[in-house]
Amino acid sequence: MNNSLIVPKMNINAALRENAIFVDVRSPKEFEEFHIPGAINIPLFDNEERAQVGTLYKQEGEEQAKDLGIQILSAKLPDFYAAFKKLHQDNEGKSLIVYCWRGGMRSLSLTSVMSLLGLPVAQLNGGVRSFRQAVTSTLDMHASSPRKFIVIEGLTGTGKTDILHELSHEGYPVIDIEGLANHRGSVFGGIGSSPISQKAFETRLWARLEELDDSPYFIIEAESKRIGNVILPDFILQGKENGHRMQIEADLDFRVNTICMTYPFEAFHDEFRQSLSRLEKRIPPKVYADILAAFDRKDYPNFVSSLLLEYYDPRYKHAFKQYDTSSYHISISRLDEGVQLVKQNVTHILDKWDITH
């Protein structure tokens, strides 16, 4: 008689359709790099334990690594059971899908034990790698079947991101690239935020594209190819280059105020000063010295004004000239005014495209 335990398994597409609860049993470091959206991290090994098991595997072999893994699992078993039991009780009616990297020993061991203890769990076929394949497949699909793009552009501080946030709240199909990348796009863009990996960015982008699956167009902000550590996919860059463009214009005082309200200069003064040094070779020495002096005395409005006029504005005006497509020019003095004008132009563009809005 074969008394071996048959561990329930589920593939990624079925798990996503079921709105299952995903349990990621990889180490916290692996989880942080990227994971299935909404997944709960219950790590079989912490970061140090994973390194110990991996080292033992390389130096002494698979059996020795398994022995150490079993020792670690055994000591933590009551805590694992309590965590899985609570998840089951708090999410009655939802499947608990356990995964590691490739659907290997880590997820198999916990799924087996929890099943023996009577909890309804299943192992994700192929692990989180199968989800990664689903993400890349979706991005490839958008690359081969591009949609129409409306691109919001303008000099730094014209409130482009704020306008996009308001449009998104009102249900417009906005892809907030900076939000997904957790970076504002400038040399100071990562200050006060945690950097994310390329995989994590693409996972966030995948989730947003799934939300906008029925939309015939997207609205984005004009961004460079790289934002912080993240590289934008080609279909986004092509959409930016070929899309209908709206250029937001505002006077210098509006822009300086917007930037001073957006960037936490006071809270992260030292970090901003360090990042500012990266621009030293790109700005004439006397101008850079004046900008640095304004920053050091915490005269942030003058610092921002000089940096815009001497560095960012010439740079972006040159970039605008590279586009062949025409753009709508929208001059604003208040954010709410900008939102309304952009919405009016979106309606006009959609009428040209014969898209219902």
Side-chain angles (χ1 to χ4, degrees), residues 6 39 42 85 110 119 129 141 151 181 185 204 224 276 284 287 291 295-296 328 334:
I6 299 176
I42 304 179
K85 183 179 179 180
L110 271 181
L119 292 177
R129 188 171 65 169
M141 178 197 70
V151 184
R204 293 179 174 189
S224 58
L276 180 60
V287 174
I291 290 173
F295 186 80
D296 283 342
Y328 297 88
R334 303 188 319 273

mmCIF file with all atom_site columns, all heavy atoms in Angstrom, residues 6 39 42 85 110 119 129 141 151 181 185 204 224 276 284 287 291 295-296 328 334:
data_model
loop_
_atom_site.group_PDB
_atom_site.id
_atom_site.type_symbol
_atom_site.label_atom_id
_atom_site.label_alt_id
_atom_site.label_comp_id
_atom_site.label_asym_id
_atom_site.label_entity_id
_atom_site.label_seq_id
_atom_site.pdbx_PDB_ins_code
_atom_site.Cartn_x
_atom_site.Cartn_y
_atom_site.Cartn_z
_atom_site.occupancy
_atom_site.B_iso_or_equiv
_atom_site.pdbx_formal_charge
_atom_site.auth_seq_id
_atom_site.auth_comp_id
_atom_site.auth_asym_id
_atom_site.auth_atom_id
_atom_site.pdbx_PDB_model_num
ATOM 1   N N   . ILE A 1 6   ? -0.021 12.926 -0.723  1.00 0.00 ? 6   ILE A N   1
ATOM 2   C CA  . ILE A 1 6   ? -0.174 13.649 -1.984  1.00 0.00 ? 6   ILE A CA  1
ATOM 3   C C   . ILE A 1 6   ? -0.429 15.108 -1.645  1.00 0.00 ? 6   ILE A C   1
ATOM 4   O O   . ILE A 1 6   ? -1.462 15.462 -1.065  1.00 0.00 ? 6   ILE A O   1
ATOM 5   C CB  . ILE A 1 6   ? -1.326 13.082 -2.824  1.00 0.00 ? 6   ILE A CB  1
ATOM 6   C CG1 . ILE A 1 6   ? -1.049 11.621 -3.171  1.00 0.00 ? 6   ILE A CG1 1
ATOM 7   C CG2 . ILE A 1 6   ? -1.524 13.913 -4.079  1.00 0.00 ? 6   ILE A CG2 1
ATOM 8   C CD1 . ILE A 1 6   ? -2.184 10.954 -3.924  1.00 0.00 ? 6   ILE A CD1 1
ATOM 9   N N   . ALA A 1 39  ? 1.018  38.973 -1.117  1.00 0.00 ? 39  ALA A N   1
ATOM 10  C CA  . ALA A 1 39  ? 1.517  37.770 -0.443  1.00 0.00 ? 39  ALA A CA  1
ATOM 11  C C   . ALA A 1 39  ? 1.947  38.085 0.988   1.00 0.00 ? 39  ALA A C   1
ATOM 12  O O   . ALA A 1 39  ? 2.354  39.205 1.312   1.00 0.00 ? 39  ALA A O   1
ATOM 13  C CB  . ALA A 1 39  ? 2.689  37.176 -1.215  1.00 0.00 ? 39  ALA A CB  1
ATOM 14  N N   . ILE A 1 42  ? 5.912  34.255 5.452   1.00 0.00 ? 42  ILE A N   1
ATOM 15  C CA  . ILE A 1 42  ? 6.149  33.411 6.619   1.00 0.00 ? 42  ILE A CA  1
ATOM 16  C C   . ILE A 1 42  ? 7.391  32.591 6.286   1.00 0.00 ? 42  ILE A C   1
ATOM 17  O O   . ILE A 1 42  ? 7.298  31.481 5.753   1.00 0.00 ? 42  ILE A O   1
ATOM 18  C CB  . ILE A 1 42  ? 4.941  32.497 6.930   1.00 0.00 ? 42  ILE A CB  1
ATOM 19  C CG1 . ILE A 1 42  ? 3.670  33.331 7.111   1.00 0.00 ? 42  ILE A CG1 1
ATOM 20  C CG2 . ILE A 1 42  ? 5.216  31.653 8.175   1.00 0.00 ? 42  ILE A CG2 1
ATOM 21  C CD1 . ILE A 1 42  ? 2.429  32.496 7.401   1.00 0.00 ? 42  ILE A CD1 1
ATOM 22  N N   . LYS A 1 85  ? -2.724 28.563 10.813  1.00 0.00 ? 85  LYS A N   1
ATOM 23  C CA  . LYS A 1 85  ? -4.074 28.378 11.360  1.00 0.00 ? 85  LYS A CA  1
ATOM 24  C C   . LYS A 1 85  ? -4.807 29.717 11.438  1.00 0.00 ? 85  LYS A C   1
ATOM 25  O O   . LYS A 1 85  ? -5.998 29.814 11.079  1.00 0.00 ? 85  LYS A O   1
ATOM 26  C CB  . LYS A 1 85  ? -3.991 27.737 12.742  1.00 0.00 ? 85  LYS A CB  1
ATOM 27  C CG  . LYS A 1 85  ? -5.348 27.430 13.362  1.00 0.00 ? 85  LYS A CG  1
ATOM 28  C CD  . LYS A 1 85  ? -5.180 26.762 14.723  1.00 0.00 ? 85  LYS A CD  1
ATOM 29  C CE  . LYS A 1 85  ? -6.535 26.464 15.368  1.00 0.00 ? 85  LYS A CE  1
ATOM 30  N NZ  . LYS A 1 85  ? -6.377 25.818 16.701  1.00 0.00 ? 85  LYS A NZ  1
ATOM 31  N N   . LEU A 1 110 ? 6.622  22.739 4.058   1.00 0.00 ? 110 LEU A N   1
ATOM 32  C CA  . LEU A 1 110 ? 5.590  23.390 4.859   1.00 0.00 ? 110 LEU A CA  1
ATOM 33  C C   . LEU A 1 110 ? 4.186  23.000 4.411   1.00 0.00 ? 110 LEU A C   1
ATOM 34  O O   . LEU A 1 110 ? 3.290  22.808 5.236   1.00 0.00 ? 110 LEU A O   1
ATOM 35  C CB  . LEU A 1 110 ? 5.752  24.912 4.804   1.00 0.00 ? 110 LEU A CB  1
ATOM 36  C CG  . LEU A 1 110 ? 6.671  25.514 5.867   1.00 0.00 ? 110 LEU A CG  1
ATOM 37  C CD1 . LEU A 1 110 ? 6.749  27.027 5.733   1.00 0.00 ? 110 LEU A CD1 1
ATOM 38  C CD2 . LEU A 1 110 ? 6.211  25.157 7.264   1.00 0.00 ? 110 LEU A CD2 1
ATOM 39  N N   . LEU A 1 119 ? -4.795 21.488 7.800   1.00 0.00 ? 119 LEU A N   1
ATOM 40  C CA  . LEU A 1 119 ? -5.088 22.796 7.226   1.00 0.00 ? 119 LEU A CA  1
ATOM 41  C C   . LEU A 1 119 ? -5.184 22.703 5.703   1.00 0.00 ? 119 LEU A C   1
ATOM 42  O O   . LEU A 1 119 ? -4.364 22.017 5.070   1.00 0.00 ? 119 LEU A O   1
ATOM 43  C CB  . LEU A 1 119 ? -4.002 23.807 7.614   1.00 0.00 ? 119 LEU A CB  1
ATOM 44  C CG  . LEU A 1 119 ? -3.958 24.180 9.099   1.00 0.00 ? 119 LEU A CG  1
ATOM 45  C CD1 . LEU A 1 119 ? -2.793 25.122 9.362   1.00 0.00 ? 119 LEU A CD1 1
ATOM 46  C CD2 . LEU A 1 119 ? -5.265 24.828 9.536   1.00 0.00 ? 119 LEU A CD2 1
ATOM 47  N N   . ARG A 1 129 ? 8.642  31.716 -9.428  1.00 0.00 ? 129 ARG A N   1
ATOM 48  C CA  . ARG A 1 129 ? 9.173  31.819 -10.795 1.00 0.00 ? 129 ARG A CA  1
ATOM 49  C C   . ARG A 1 129 ? 8.051  31.712 -11.818 1.00 0.00 ? 129 ARG A C   1
ATOM 50  O O   . ARG A 1 129 ? 8.102  32.370 -12.863 1.00 0.00 ? 129 ARG A O   1
ATOM 51  C CB  . ARG A 1 129 ? 10.233 30.740 -11.040 1.00 0.00 ? 129 ARG A CB  1
ATOM 52  C CG  . ARG A 1 129 ? 10.963 30.922 -12.369 1.00 0.00 ? 129 ARG A CG  1
ATOM 53  C CD  . ARG A 1 129 ? 12.148 29.997 -12.497 1.00 0.00 ? 129 ARG A CD  1
ATOM 54  N NE  . ARG A 1 129 ? 11.751 28.605 -12.546 1.00 0.00 ? 129 ARG A NE  1
ATOM 55  C CZ  . ARG A 1 129 ? 12.580 27.612 -12.869 1.00 0.00 ? 129 ARG A CZ  1
ATOM 56  N NH1 . ARG A 1 129 ? 13.852 27.886 -13.119 1.00 0.00 ? 129 ARG A NH1 1
ATOM 57  N NH2 . ARG A 1 129 ? 12.166 26.373 -12.893 1.00 0.00 ? 129 ARG A NH2 1
ATOM 58  N N   . MET A 1 141 ? 3.104  40.815 -24.116 1.00 0.00 ? 141 MET A N   1
ATOM 59  C CA  . MET A 1 141 ? 1.851  40.987 -24.840 1.00 0.00 ? 141 MET A CA  1
ATOM 60  C C   . MET A 1 141 ? 1.597  42.466 -25.131 1.00 0.00 ? 141 MET A C   1
ATOM 61  O O   . MET A 1 141 ? 1.189  42.836 -26.241 1.00 0.00 ? 141 MET A O   1
ATOM 62  C CB  . MET A 1 141 ? 0.691  40.420 -24.030 1.00 0.00 ? 141 MET A CB  1
ATOM 63  C CG  . MET A 1 141 ? -0.676 40.587 -24.682 1.00 0.00 ? 141 MET A CG  1
ATOM 64  S SD  . MET A 1 141 ? -2.034 40.350 -23.513 1.00 0.00 ? 141 MET A SD  1
ATOM 65  C CE  . MET A 1 141 ? -1.860 41.825 -22.488 1.00 0.00 ? 141 MET A CE  1
ATOM 66  N N   . VAL A 1 151 ? 0.463  61.513 -23.140 1.00 0.00 ? 151 VAL A N   1
ATOM 67  C CA  . VAL A 1 151 ? 1.689  61.762 -22.379 1.00 0.00 ? 151 VAL A CA  1
ATOM 68  C C   . VAL A 1 151 ? 1.654  63.170 -21.799 1.00 0.00 ? 151 VAL A C   1
ATOM 69  O O   . VAL A 1 151 ? 1.495  64.153 -22.522 1.00 0.00 ? 151 VAL A O   1
ATOM 70  C CB  . VAL A 1 151 ? 2.927  61.595 -23.274 1.00 0.00 ? 151 VAL A CB  1
ATOM 71  C CG1 . VAL A 1 151 ? 4.204  61.757 -22.458 1.00 0.00 ? 151 VAL A CG1 1
ATOM 72  C CG2 . VAL A 1 151 ? 2.895  60.245 -23.989 1.00 0.00 ? 151 VAL A CG2 1
ATOM 73  N N   . ALA A 1 181 ? 7.786  52.931 -9.500  1.00 0.00 ? 181 ALA A N   1
ATOM 74  C CA  . ALA A 1 181 ? 9.233  52.791 -9.322  1.00 0.00 ? 181 ALA A CA  1
ATOM 75  C C   . ALA A 1 181 ? 9.694  53.253 -7.937  1.00 0.00 ? 181 ALA A C   1
ATOM 76  O O   . ALA A 1 181 ? 10.855 53.042 -7.570  1.00 0.00 ? 181 ALA A O   1
ATOM 77  C CB  . ALA A 1 181 ? 9.968  53.589 -10.389 1.00 0.00 ? 181 ALA A CB  1
ATOM 78  N N   . GLY A 1 185 ? 12.271 60.401 -10.072 1.00 0.00 ? 185 GLY A N   1
ATOM 79  C CA  . GLY A 1 185 ? 12.832 60.572 -11.397 1.00 0.00 ? 185 GLY A CA  1
ATOM 80  C C   . GLY A 1 185 ? 14.021 61.509 -11.490 1.00 0.00 ? 185 GLY A C   1
ATOM 81  O O   . GLY A 1 185 ? 14.736 61.488 -12.480 1.00 0.00 ? 185 GLY A O   1
ATOM 82  N N   . ARG A 1 204 ? 4.738  45.430 -10.059 1.00 0.00 ? 204 ARG A N   1
ATOM 83  C CA  . ARG A 1 204 ? 3.777  46.512 -9.819  1.00 0.00 ? 204 ARG A CA  1
ATOM 84  C C   . ARG A 1 204 ? 3.140  46.976 -11.127 1.00 0.00 ? 204 ARG A C   1
ATOM 85  O O   . ARG A 1 204 ? 1.935  47.261 -11.172 1.00 0.00 ? 204 ARG A O   1
ATOM 86  C CB  . ARG A 1 204 ? 4.486  47.695 -9.143  1.00 0.00 ? 204 ARG A CB  1
ATOM 87  C CG  . ARG A 1 204 ? 4.962  47.421 -7.731  1.00 0.00 ? 204 ARG A CG  1
ATOM 88  C CD  . ARG A 1 204 ? 5.659  48.640 -7.165  1.00 0.00 ? 204 ARG A CD  1
ATOM 89  N NE  . ARG A 1 204 ? 6.013  48.461 -5.759  1.00 0.00 ? 204 ARG A NE  1
ATOM 90  C CZ  . ARG A 1 204 ? 6.466  49.436 -4.978  1.00 0.00 ? 204 ARG A CZ  1
ATOM 91  N NH1 . ARG A 1 204 ? 6.632  50.656 -5.465  1.00 0.00 ? 204 ARG A NH1 1
ATOM 92  N NH2 . ARG A 1 204 ? 6.759  49.201 -3.710  1.00 0.00 ? 204 ARG A NH2 1
ATOM 93  N N   . SER A 1 224 ? 12.309 59.497 -18.439 1.00 0.00 ? 224 SER A N   1
ATOM 94  C CA  . SER A 1 224 ? 13.473 58.972 -19.144 1.00 0.00 ? 224 SER A CA  1
ATOM 95  C C   . SER A 1 224 ? 13.461 57.448 -19.067 1.00 0.00 ? 224 SER A C   1
ATOM 96  O O   . SER A 1 224 ? 12.640 56.856 -18.369 1.00 0.00 ? 224 SER A O   1
ATOM 97  C CB  . SER A 1 224 ? 14.761 59.525 -18.524 1.00 0.00 ? 224 SER A CB  1
ATOM 98  O OG  . SER A 1 224 ? 14.830 59.180 -17.154 1.00 0.00 ? 224 SER A OG  1
ATOM 99  N N   . LEU A 1 276 ? 23.213 66.452 -4.337  1.00 0.00 ? 276 LEU A N   1
ATOM 100 C CA  . LEU A 1 276 ? 23.509 67.665 -5.090  1.00 0.00 ? 276 LEU A CA  1
ATOM 101 C C   . LEU A 1 276 ? 24.927 67.644 -5.639  1.00 0.00 ? 276 LEU A C   1
ATOM 102 O O   . LEU A 1 276 ? 25.198 68.145 -6.740  1.00 0.00 ? 276 LEU A O   1
ATOM 103 C CB  . LEU A 1 276 ? 23.292 68.890 -4.194  1.00 0.00 ? 276 LEU A CB  1
ATOM 104 C CG  . LEU A 1 276 ? 23.555 70.270 -4.808  1.00 0.00 ? 276 LEU A CG  1
ATOM 105 C CD1 . LEU A 1 276 ? 22.637 70.495 -6.006  1.00 0.00 ? 276 LEU A CD1 1
ATOM 106 C CD2 . LEU A 1 276 ? 23.337 71.357 -3.752  1.00 0.00 ? 276 LEU A CD2 1
ATOM 107 N N   . PRO A 1 284 ? 28.273 75.260 -14.143 1.00 0.00 ? 284 PRO A N   1
ATOM 108 C CA  . PRO A 1 284 ? 29.448 76.135 -14.010 1.00 0.00 ? 284 PRO A CA  1
ATOM 109 C C   . PRO A 1 284 ? 29.815 76.348 -12.541 1.00 0.00 ? 284 PRO A C   1
ATOM 110 O O   . PRO A 1 284 ? 28.924 76.485 -11.683 1.00 0.00 ? 284 PRO A O   1
ATOM 111 C CB  . PRO A 1 284 ? 28.983 77.446 -14.663 1.00 0.00 ? 284 PRO A CB  1
ATOM 112 C CG  . PRO A 1 284 ? 27.950 77.018 -15.657 1.00 0.00 ? 284 PRO A CG  1
ATOM 113 C CD  . PRO A 1 284 ? 27.244 75.845 -15.022 1.00 0.00 ? 284 PRO A CD  1
ATOM 114 N N   . VAL A 1 287 ? 28.143 79.214 -10.509 1.00 0.00 ? 287 VAL A N   1
ATOM 115 C CA  . VAL A 1 287 ? 26.706 78.961 -10.351 1.00 0.00 ? 287 VAL A CA  1
ATOM 116 C C   . VAL A 1 287 ? 26.488 77.865 -9.314  1.00 0.00 ? 287 VAL A C   1
ATOM 117 O O   . VAL A 1 287 ? 25.614 77.980 -8.442  1.00 0.00 ? 287 VAL A O   1
ATOM 118 C CB  . VAL A 1 287 ? 26.075 78.577 -11.701 1.00 0.00 ? 287 VAL A CB  1
ATOM 119 C CG1 . VAL A 1 287 ? 24.609 78.167 -11.508 1.00 0.00 ? 287 VAL A CG1 1
ATOM 120 C CG2 . VAL A 1 287 ? 26.188 79.715 -12.698 1.00 0.00 ? 287 VAL A CG2 1
ATOM 121 N N   . ILE A 1 291 ? 24.389 77.968 -5.749  1.00 0.00 ? 291 ILE A N   1
ATOM 122 C CA  . ILE A 1 291 ? 23.310 77.028 -5.460  1.00 0.00 ? 291 ILE A CA  1
ATOM 123 C C   . ILE A 1 291 ? 23.582 76.307 -4.148  1.00 0.00 ? 291 ILE A C   1
ATOM 124 O O   . ILE A 1 291 ? 22.694 76.159 -3.295  1.00 0.00 ? 291 ILE A O   1
ATOM 125 C CB  . ILE A 1 291 ? 23.165 76.011 -6.621  1.00 0.00 ? 291 ILE A CB  1
ATOM 126 C CG1 . ILE A 1 291 ? 22.618 76.705 -7.866  1.00 0.00 ? 291 ILE A CG1 1
ATOM 127 C CG2 . ILE A 1 291 ? 22.262 74.839 -6.218  1.00 0.00 ? 291 ILE A CG2 1
ATOM 128 C CD1 . ILE A 1 291 ? 22.599 75.825 -9.108  1.00 0.00 ? 291 ILE A CD1 1
ATOM 129 N N   . PHE A 1 295 ? 21.511 76.370 -0.502  1.00 0.00 ? 295 PHE A N   1
ATOM 130 C CA  . PHE A 1 295 ? 21.045 75.145 0.146   1.00 0.00 ? 295 PHE A CA  1
ATOM 131 C C   . PHE A 1 295 ? 21.578 75.049 1.573   1.00 0.00 ? 295 PHE A C   1
ATOM 132 O O   . PHE A 1 295 ? 20.844 74.692 2.494   1.00 0.00 ? 295 PHE A O   1
ATOM 133 C CB  . PHE A 1 295 ? 21.474 73.919 -0.667  1.00 0.00 ? 295 PHE A CB  1
ATOM 134 C CG  . PHE A 1 295 ? 20.903 72.636 -0.146  1.00 0.00 ? 295 PHE A CG  1
ATOM 135 C CD1 . PHE A 1 295 ? 19.597 72.251 -0.450  1.00 0.00 ? 295 PHE A CD1 1
ATOM 136 C CD2 . PHE A 1 295 ? 21.654 71.803 0.674   1.00 0.00 ? 295 PHE A CD2 1
ATOM 137 C CE1 . PHE A 1 295 ? 19.060 71.082 0.045   1.00 0.00 ? 295 PHE A CE1 1
ATOM 138 C CE2 . PHE A 1 295 ? 21.121 70.618 1.176   1.00 0.00 ? 295 PHE A CE2 1
ATOM 139 C CZ  . PHE A 1 295 ? 19.818 70.266 0.853   1.00 0.00 ? 295 PHE A CZ  1
ATOM 140 N N   . ASP A 1 296 ? 22.850 75.371 1.771   1.00 0.00 ? 296 ASP A N   1
ATOM 141 C CA  . ASP A 1 296 ? 23.459 75.248 3.090   1.00 0.00 ? 296 ASP A CA  1
ATOM 142 C C   . ASP A 1 296 ? 22.821 76.193 4.103   1.00 0.00 ? 296 ASP A C   1
ATOM 143 O O   . ASP A 1 296 ? 22.756 75.875 5.302   1.00 0.00 ? 296 ASP A O   1
ATOM 144 C CB  . ASP A 1 296 ? 24.959 75.505 3.008   1.00 0.00 ? 296 ASP A CB  1
ATOM 145 C CG  . ASP A 1 296 ? 25.724 74.310 2.433   1.00 0.00 ? 296 ASP A CG  1
ATOM 146 O OD1 . ASP A 1 296 ? 25.155 73.201 2.423   1.00 0.00 ? 296 ASP A OD1 1
ATOM 147 O OD2 . ASP A 1 296 ? 26.871 74.487 1.996   1.00 0.00 ? 296 ASP A OD2 1
ATOM 148 N N   . TYR A 1 328 ? -0.300 69.602 -27.023 1.00 0.00 ? 328 TYR A N   1
ATOM 149 C CA  . TYR A 1 328 ? -1.209 70.614 -26.519 1.00 0.00 ? 328 TYR A CA  1
ATOM 150 C C   . TYR A 1 328 ? -0.486 71.371 -25.399 1.00 0.00 ? 328 TYR A C   1
ATOM 151 O O   . TYR A 1 328 ? 0.079  70.758 -24.503 1.00 0.00 ? 328 TYR A O   1
ATOM 152 C CB  . TYR A 1 328 ? -2.471 69.968 -25.949 1.00 0.00 ? 328 TYR A CB  1
ATOM 153 C CG  . TYR A 1 328 ? -3.303 69.207 -26.957 1.00 0.00 ? 328 TYR A CG  1
ATOM 154 C CD1 . TYR A 1 328 ? -3.046 67.863 -27.221 1.00 0.00 ? 328 TYR A CD1 1
ATOM 155 C CD2 . TYR A 1 328 ? -4.353 69.819 -27.621 1.00 0.00 ? 328 TYR A CD2 1
ATOM 156 C CE1 . TYR A 1 328 ? -3.808 67.153 -28.128 1.00 0.00 ? 328 TYR A CE1 1
ATOM 157 C CE2 . TYR A 1 328 ? -5.130 69.120 -28.537 1.00 0.00 ? 328 TYR A CE2 1
ATOM 158 C CZ  . TYR A 1 328 ? -4.847 67.785 -28.786 1.00 0.00 ? 328 TYR A CZ  1
ATOM 159 O OH  . TYR A 1 328 ? -5.602 67.080 -29.691 1.00 0.00 ? 328 TYR A OH  1
ATOM 160 N N   . ARG A 1 334 ? -2.975 77.083 -10.956 1.00 0.00 ? 334 ARG A N   1
ATOM 161 C CA  . ARG A 1 334 ? -3.422 76.314 -9.790  1.00 0.00 ? 334 ARG A CA  1
ATOM 162 C C   . ARG A 1 334 ? -3.552 74.848 -10.207 1.00 0.00 ? 334 ARG A C   1
ATOM 163 O O   . ARG A 1 334 ? -3.816 74.533 -11.376 1.00 0.00 ? 334 ARG A O   1
ATOM 164 C CB  . ARG A 1 334 ? -4.791 76.791 -9.279  1.00 0.00 ? 334 ARG A CB  1
ATOM 165 C CG  . ARG A 1 334 ? -4.880 78.240 -8.903  1.00 0.00 ? 334 ARG A CG  1
ATOM 166 C CD  . ARG A 1 334 ? -6.225 78.535 -8.225  1.00 0.00 ? 334 ARG A CD  1
ATOM 167 N NE  . ARG A 1 334 ? -7.332 77.848 -8.861  1.00 0.00 ? 334 ARG A NE  1
ATOM 168 C CZ  . ARG A 1 334 ? -8.027 78.317 -9.894  1.00 0.00 ? 334 ARG A CZ  1
ATOM 169 N NH1 . ARG A 1 334 ? -7.707 79.491 -10.428 1.00 0.00 ? 334 ARG A NH1 1
ATOM 170 N NH2 . ARG A 1 334 ? -9.034 77.628 -10.395 1.00 0.00 ? 334 ARG A NH2 1
#
